[in-house]
Amino acid sequence: MPERIVTYSTGNHAIALAYAAELFRLKIRIYLPKNVINYKRNILKTSNLDIIEVGSRAEAEYRSMNDINNDFHFVHPSSEDMIISGAGTVVYEAIKQFCHANPEDDLDFIFAPCGGGGLLSGSLLARDLISPCSRIFGCEPLVANDAYLSIKNNKIYRFEKSPITIAAGLRALTISQKIITYLKK
């Protein structure tokens, strides 16, 4: 396991890594853009992470990837296989609970947020594992529709600035190519 890990986050990824840092005694640096929701920022203040607040998500991405040159291992918040698998456990558990509570019913639809794409990809994996007949819908606000535009135009679309939406976890600048590959399966 790498000794020093770096990433960027708007909160959820950082909170998960704070838990991992405590469990495995990891040194993790998080670049946190200024538009992070206060309650997530307050949770992170109680963690043992090296948190560096920056002006924008684009700056957070740039600075975290630049730390690779300073002997940090970069963990992408939504495009790493283990992150995707971990996100899929949420949907896996939800599907199991639904099926247990409703053994006579099929789960017709699963709705998952697009955001950076990790939870959506994990949802696809979970669906394929235990509910292959369910249809998955990726959801995103119209003002944050980078996934839709990327699929529609068959190339990755990237916002210059974080979209302004109350859906804080969906303020991603772009969805990764790996996620597009998952979505096209």
Side-chain angles (χ1 to χ4, degrees):
M1 172 133 341
E3 287 188 30
R4 299 186 334 156
I5 296 170
V6 66
T7 192
Y8 61 90
S9 175
T10 56
N12 292 338
H13 182 58
I15 291 167
L17 285 178
Y19 180 71
E22 190 172 318
L23 267 180
F24 300 108
R25 296 187 174 121
L26 301 172
K27 294 177 183 175
I28 300 177
R29 175 178 289 170
I30 305 281
Y31 286 95
L32 207 60
K34 67 180 177 183
N35 66 348
V36 170
I37 293 178
N38 283 334
Y39 84 86
K40 291 181 183 180
R41 181 178 281 109
N42 292 337
I43 290 169
L44 291 168
K45 284 181 182 177
T46 66
S47 72
N48 196 21
L49 299 175
D50 176 15
I51 297 173
I52 299 173
E53 293 194 50
V54 296
S56 68
R57 185 172 180 127
E59 182 183 357
E61 288 182 20
Y62 173 79
R63 290 189 58 187
S64 64
M65 288 186 243
N66 194 48
D67 271 349
I68 294 169
N69 300 325
N70 299 319
D71 295 325
F72 278 86
H73 175 77
F74 176 71
V75 177
H76 194 281
S78 58
S79 189
E80 299 273 339
D81 290 337
M82 295 303 282
I83 300 296
I84 292 168
S85 297
T89 63
V90 173
V91 177
Y92 178 83
E93 292 297 328
I95 293 171
K96 277 181 36 180
Q97 285 182 14
F98 174 85
C99 293
H100 179 73
N102 305 286
E104 306 294 317
D105 295 332
D106 291 327
L107 183 60
D108 296 325
F109 305 108
I110 299 169
F111 297 89
C114 289
L119 180 57
L120 179 57
S121 295
S123 300
L124 287 162
L125 293 175
R127 185 269 323 256
D128 291 350
L129 184 63
I130 61 174
S131 189
C133 293
S134 300
R135 291 185 62 201
I136 285 218
F137 291 89
C139 305
E140 60 188 354
L142 187 58
V143 298
N145 64 346
D146 55 298
Y148 169 78
L149 293 171
S150 295
I151 292 168
K152 178 183 174 200
N153 297 315
N154 205 29
K155 68 178 188 172
I156 298 297
Y157 179 84
R158 182 177 175 86
F159 290 107
E160 288 183 32
K161 296 180 181 176
S162 291
I164 298 173
T165 173
I166 62 169
L170 303 181
R171 294 178 185 159
L173 298 176
T174 190
I175 195 163
S176 77
Q177 184 60 52
K178 178 182 276 191
I179 307 308
I180 296 296
T181 304
Y182 276 46
L183 294 176
K184 288 187 173 184
K185 287 183 178 179

